[in-house]
Amino acid sequence: MTAEAYPLQWPTGRARTERWRREPAPFDVTFARARDDIVREVELLTGTRHYGDAYVVISTNTALARDGLPLAGQRQPDDPGVAVYFTYKKRQMSFACDRWTKIEDNMRAISKTIEALRSIARWGTGDMLEAAFTGFEALPAPGAVRAWWEVLGVARHATKDEITQAYRRAAMDAHPDRGGSHDRMAELTRARDEGMRDK
């Protein structure tokens, strides 16, 4: 599991709710109950019961208890977002919510979402569950660096010529002068340089 429980590590590429759009939730749940419900729902979904193990990470801006889960009884932070990371059928999954004004309500929304997805499997439509889960596959954690061959979209054993060609094709779209971004261009350049060093 690559995500950290504290501070909040929001999944890369997931939109955030603007602060002024957050609202009180319709839930009536305590912090501890909401946190424990997430753990329970993940256990039921994955069939994993490893207490004290890092099979699920609940990432928030609240202090952690000894077991690595968010500690109840803390002041609400300015950012009430919650991101949950776990492994399902050897795939890293992430669920995130920051729609509500309280952390416990965002945790509740995530546990209810997982519960709803579990019901899809219960009613014999597992293929729909697999399709639904493709949108929750975790992207790399913030700050994580992808392998050079993934960035360039080539095989790991690509030749220098293939690396150069892939870089040039990708750079045409990624260059800031053509509507791309400096970050994407820097990522491509790093990947090309690493690939060339590997060869």
Side-chain angles (χ1 to χ4, degrees):
M1 197 77 53
T2 57
E4 296 292 326
Y6 178 84
L8 172 65
Q9 287 195 346
W10 193 259
T12 304
R14 299 265 173 93
R16 295 298 309 261
T17 301
E18 292 90 353
R19 185 181 185 119
W20 59 272
R21 287 187 183 258
R22 293 182 183 137
E23 56 187 312
F27 310 125
D28 183 20
V29 65
T30 65
F31 187 99
R33 174 70 188 268
R35 176 199 59 212
D36 295 347
D37 281 351
I38 287 177
V39 172
R40 185 173 133 284
E41 288 299 330
V42 170
E43 287 175 348
L44 290 170
L45 177 70
T46 63
T48 306
R49 290 188 184 272
H50 297 290
Y51 297 102
D53 197 357
Y55 68 98
V56 61
V57 173
I58 302 174
S59 185
T60 68
N61 281 322
T62 59
L64 303 178
R66 288 184 180 165
D67 61 3
L69 295 173
L71 182 63
Q74 303 295 303
R75 179 184 70 79
Q76 286 288 332
D78 292 336
D79 183 351
V82 176
V84 176
Y85 299 88
F86 61 93
T87 302
Y88 176 74
K89 293 188 177 181
K90 298 183 181 180
R91 297 186 322 212
Q92 290 292 314
M93 299 291 158
S94 65
F95 287 73
C97 185
D98 66 348
R99 176 180 175 185
W100 311 110
T101 55
K102 293 183 178 179
I103 286 182
E104 55 264 33
D105 294 329
N106 288 314
M107 285 194 291
R108 182 68 166 171
I110 292 171
S111 70
K112 286 296 192 183
T113 300
I114 297 171
E115 179 184 22
L117 288 169
R118 279 193 320 102
S119 70
I120 292 172
R122 261 196 319 269
W123 296 111
T125 54
D127 57 330
M128 292 172 72
L129 177 65
E130 292 302 316
F133 263 126
T134 59
F136 295 107
E137 285 193 66
L139 295 170
V145 178
R146 294 190 299 160
W148 65 264
W149 57 89
E150 292 175 358
V151 173
L152 294 173
V154 297
R156 185 174 188 171
H157 58 272
T159 66
K160 285 186 173 185
D161 286 341
E162 290 170 330
I163 292 169
T164 300
Q165 290 172 5
Y167 170 79
R168 288 180 179 158
R169 278 192 306 271
M172 288 175 59
D173 294 328
H175 198 281
D177 292 344
R178 295 187 172 196
S181 72
H182 291 285
D183 290 341
R184 175 68 176 141
M185 199 64 209
E187 181 184 39
L188 285 171
T189 302
R190 177 198 57 81
R192 180 201 58 197
D193 294 348
E194 283 185 19
M196 291 300 193
R197 278 195 303 270
D198 270 7
K199 303 301 161 188

